[in-house]
Amino acid sequence: MKTNLRHEQVVSLINEHSFLTVSDLSRLCNVSEMTIRRDLDQLHQQKLILRTYGGAVSLRNGNPVISETEQAPVDKSTEVLLVDEVDVLIATSVNPYYDSL
């Protein structure tokens, strides 16, 4: 797929879903995660999307444009989506004695 067509597809998908992760975009566009990361960086520079850690957010639907020095606000709906993807939490004890039980 040509770069320009893929960029249009990525922007369209992000605008449709408001937030997508790099792995989701990689799967949807059938390209590597590194390719998506490069695409997201280019689209962020063109101010078509907002690059976030692990993905991108749409600048449409009232999402504010944030300068590079500011932190992006935490979107509560994004936190809920990430929690839904967690299958298990593994925790170890501080005391090795309890690990052997």
Side-chain angles (χ1 to χ4, degrees):
M1 176 184 289
K2 293 276 189 181
T3 304
N4 291 339
L5 293 174
R6 189 176 61 248
H7 283 189
E8 290 176 12
Q9 182 182 15
V10 167
V11 170
S12 174
L13 286 166
I14 292 170
N15 286 336
E16 180 181 337
H17 296 281
S18 297
F19 172 82
L20 282 173
T21 64
V22 170
S23 60
D24 290 339
L25 286 166
S26 172
R27 189 178 68 252
L28 292 168
C29 295
N30 294 320
V31 294
S32 71
E33 289 185 7
M34 183 53 79
T35 300
I36 291 296
R37 285 187 187 93
R38 275 189 240 118
D39 290 347
L40 293 179
D41 289 339
Q42 291 173 2
L43 294 169
H44 177 78
Q45 289 175 353
Q46 297 171 9
K47 300 193 186 307
L48 296 173
I49 56 133
L50 178 63
R51 183 77 163 92
T52 63
Y53 181 79
V57 177
S58 172
L59 289 177
R60 293 187 183 176
N61 303 329
N63 289 333
V65 176
I66 299 171
S67 70
E68 305 237 351
T69 58
E70 296 178 19
Q71 289 287 341
V74 176
D75 183 10
K76 297 296 182 190
S77 63
T78 303
E79 288 183 28
V80 173
L81 294 174
L82 294 176
V83 169
D84 290 341
E85 292 185 15
V86 175
D87 291 331
V88 65
L89 176 65
I90 299 174
T92 60
S93 63
V94 176
N95 189 337
Y97 169 76
Y98 294 113
D99 287 337
S100 66
L101 297 177

